[in-house]
PDB file of all heavy atoms in Angstrom:
ATOM      1  N   ASN A  65       7.084   9.527  -3.458  1.00  0.00           N
ATOM      2  CA  ASN A  65       6.734  10.929  -3.199  1.00  0.00           C
ATOM      3  C   ASN A  65       6.786  11.198  -1.710  1.00  0.00           C
ATOM      4  O   ASN A  65       5.955  10.724  -0.952  1.00  0.00           O
ATOM      5  CB  ASN A  65       5.328  11.245  -3.735  1.00  0.00           C
ATOM      6  CG  ASN A  65       5.141  12.721  -4.016  1.00  0.00           C
ATOM      7  OD1 ASN A  65       6.024  13.335  -4.626  1.00  0.00           O
ATOM      8  ND2 ASN A  65       4.037  13.276  -3.596  1.00  0.00           N
ATOM      9  N   LYS A  66       7.800  11.944  -1.317  1.00  0.00           N
ATOM     10  CA  LYS A  66       7.945  12.328   0.087  1.00  0.00           C
ATOM     11  C   LYS A  66       7.726  13.842   0.173  1.00  0.00           C
ATOM     12  O   LYS A  66       8.428  14.610  -0.478  1.00  0.00           O
ATOM     13  CB  LYS A  66       9.338  11.966   0.587  1.00  0.00           C
ATOM     14  CG  LYS A  66       9.510  12.243   2.065  1.00  0.00           C
ATOM     15  CD  LYS A  66      10.925  11.850   2.510  1.00  0.00           C
ATOM     16  CE  LYS A  66      11.075  12.056   3.995  1.00  0.00           C
ATOM     17  NZ  LYS A  66      12.474  11.847   4.412  1.00  0.00           N
ATOM     18  N   LEU A  67       6.744  14.243   0.967  1.00  0.00           N
ATOM     19  CA  LEU A  67       6.403  15.657   1.036  1.00  0.00           C
ATOM     20  C   LEU A  67       7.431  16.429   1.834  1.00  0.00           C
ATOM     21  O   LEU A  67       8.195  15.853   2.620  1.00  0.00           O
ATOM     22  CB  LEU A  67       5.021  15.818   1.680  1.00  0.00           C
ATOM     23  CG  LEU A  67       3.867  15.084   0.977  1.00  0.00           C
ATOM     24  CD1 LEU A  67       2.549  15.364   1.702  1.00  0.00           C
ATOM     25  CD2 LEU A  67       3.779  15.476  -0.501  1.00  0.00           C
ATOM     26  N   ASP A  68       7.418  17.744   1.606  1.00  0.00           N
ATOM     27  CA  ASP A  68       8.211  18.628   2.466  1.00  0.00           C
ATOM     28  C   ASP A  68       7.362  19.886   2.677  1.00  0.00           C
ATOM     29  O   ASP A  68       6.150  19.856   2.430  1.00  0.00           O
ATOM     30  CB  ASP A  68       9.583  18.919   1.873  1.00  0.00           C
ATOM     31  CG  ASP A  68       9.474  19.499   0.475  1.00  0.00           C
ATOM     32  OD1 ASP A  68       8.409  20.025   0.113  1.00  0.00           O
ATOM     33  OD2 ASP A  68      10.453  19.389  -0.269  1.00  0.00           O
ATOM     34  N   ASN A  69       7.960  20.970   3.108  1.00  0.00           N
ATOM     35  CA  ASN A  69       7.156  22.171   3.356  1.00  0.00           C
ATOM     36  C   ASN A  69       7.069  23.084   2.132  1.00  0.00           C
ATOM     37  O   ASN A  69       6.734  24.237   2.244  1.00  0.00           O
ATOM     38  CB  ASN A  69       7.751  22.944   4.533  1.00  0.00           C
ATOM     39  CG  ASN A  69       7.600  22.151   5.810  1.00  0.00           C
ATOM     40  OD1 ASN A  69       6.616  21.445   5.988  1.00  0.00           O
ATOM     41  ND2 ASN A  69       8.580  22.258   6.694  1.00  0.00           N
ATOM     42  N   HIS A  70       7.382  22.513   0.962  1.00  0.00           N
ATOM     43  CA  HIS A  70       7.391  23.341  -0.262  1.00  0.00           C
ATOM     44  C   HIS A  70       6.516  22.689  -1.310  1.00  0.00           C
ATOM     45  O   HIS A  70       6.998  22.057  -2.235  1.00  0.00           O
ATOM     46  CB  HIS A  70       8.826  23.500  -0.785  1.00  0.00           C
ATOM     47  CG  HIS A  70       9.731  24.103   0.239  1.00  0.00           C
ATOM     48  ND1 HIS A  70       9.781  25.463   0.468  1.00  0.00           N
ATOM     49  CD2 HIS A  70      10.587  23.540   1.120  1.00  0.00           C
ATOM     50  CE1 HIS A  70      10.627  25.701   1.452  1.00  0.00           C
ATOM     51  NE2 HIS A  70      11.141  24.547   1.857  1.00  0.00           N
ATOM     52  N   PRO A  71       5.186  22.844  -1.176  1.00  0.00           N
ATOM     53  CA  PRO A  71       4.271  22.179  -2.109  1.00  0.00           C
ATOM     54  C   PRO A  71       4.499  22.597  -3.559  1.00  0.00           C
ATOM     55  O   PRO A  71       4.136  21.875  -4.485  1.00  0.00           O
ATOM     56  CB  PRO A  71       2.879  22.594  -1.624  1.00  0.00           C
ATOM     57  CG  PRO A  71       3.096  23.698  -0.655  1.00  0.00           C
ATOM     58  CD  PRO A  71       4.475  23.583  -0.141  1.00  0.00           C
ATOM     59  N   GLU A  72       5.109  23.780  -3.763  1.00  0.00           N
ATOM     60  CA  GLU A  72       5.379  24.201  -5.145  1.00  0.00           C
ATOM     61  C   GLU A  72       6.494  23.333  -5.731  1.00  0.00           C
ATOM     62  O   GLU A  72       6.615  23.228  -6.939  1.00  0.00           O
ATOM     63  CB  GLU A  72       5.704  25.697  -5.220  1.00  0.00           C
ATOM     64  CG  GLU A  72       7.003  26.141  -4.569  1.00  0.00           C
ATOM     65  CD  GLU A  72       6.992  26.183  -3.033  1.00  0.00           C
ATOM     66  OE1 GLU A  72       5.943  25.862  -2.423  1.00  0.00           O
ATOM     67  OE2 GLU A  72       8.034  26.516  -2.452  1.00  0.00           O
ATOM     68  N   GLU A  73       7.295  22.719  -4.878  1.00  0.00           N
ATOM     69  CA  GLU A  73       8.365  21.847  -5.392  1.00  0.00           C
ATOM     70  C   GLU A  73       8.002  20.379  -5.260  1.00  0.00           C
ATOM     71  O   GLU A  73       8.230  19.594  -6.164  1.00  0.00           O
ATOM     72  CB  GLU A  73       9.676  22.114  -4.603  1.00  0.00           C
ATOM     73  CG  GLU A  73      10.353  23.405  -5.007  1.00  0.00           C
ATOM     74  CD  GLU A  73      11.403  23.846  -4.024  1.00  0.00           C
ATOM     75  OE1 GLU A  73      11.933  22.987  -3.268  1.00  0.00           O
ATOM     76  OE2 GLU A  73      11.693  25.067  -3.980  1.00  0.00           O
ATOM     77  N   THR A  74       7.455  19.982  -4.120  1.00  0.00           N
ATOM     78  CA  THR A  74       7.029  18.607  -3.933  1.00  0.00           C
ATOM     79  C   THR A  74       5.513  18.603  -3.760  1.00  0.00           C
ATOM     80  O   THR A  74       5.006  18.852  -2.665  1.00  0.00           O
ATOM     81  CB  THR A  74       7.708  17.982  -2.708  1.00  0.00           C
ATOM     82  OG1 THR A  74       9.106  18.158  -2.839  1.00  0.00           O
ATOM     83  CG2 THR A  74       7.393  16.497  -2.630  1.00  0.00           C
ATOM     84  N   ALA A  75       4.833  18.366  -4.872  1.00  0.00           N
ATOM     85  CA  ALA A  75       3.370  18.398  -4.830  1.00  0.00           C
ATOM     86  C   ALA A  75       2.837  17.201  -4.071  1.00  0.00           C
ATOM     87  O   ALA A  75       3.546  16.196  -3.870  1.00  0.00           O
ATOM     88  CB  ALA A  75       2.814  18.408  -6.251  1.00  0.00           C
ATOM     89  N   LEU A  76       1.562  17.288  -3.670  1.00  0.00           N
ATOM     90  CA  LEU A  76       0.930  16.187  -2.963  1.00  0.00           C
ATOM     91  C   LEU A  76       0.992  14.900  -3.780  1.00  0.00           C
ATOM     92  O   LEU A  76       1.188  13.810  -3.252  1.00  0.00           O
ATOM     93  CB  LEU A  76      -0.527  16.551  -2.679  1.00  0.00           C
ATOM     94  CG  LEU A  76      -1.350  15.560  -1.940  1.00  0.00           C
ATOM     95  CD1 LEU A  76      -0.863  15.423  -0.492  1.00  0.00           C
ATOM     96  CD2 LEU A  76      -2.806  15.962  -1.945  1.00  0.00           C
TER      97      LEU A  76
END
Side-chain angles (χ1 to χ4, degrees):
N65 204 46
K66 184 180 183 187
L67 302 181
D68 55 22
N69 293 326
H70 303 279
E72 67 286 0
E73 285 165 23
T74 307
L76 181 68

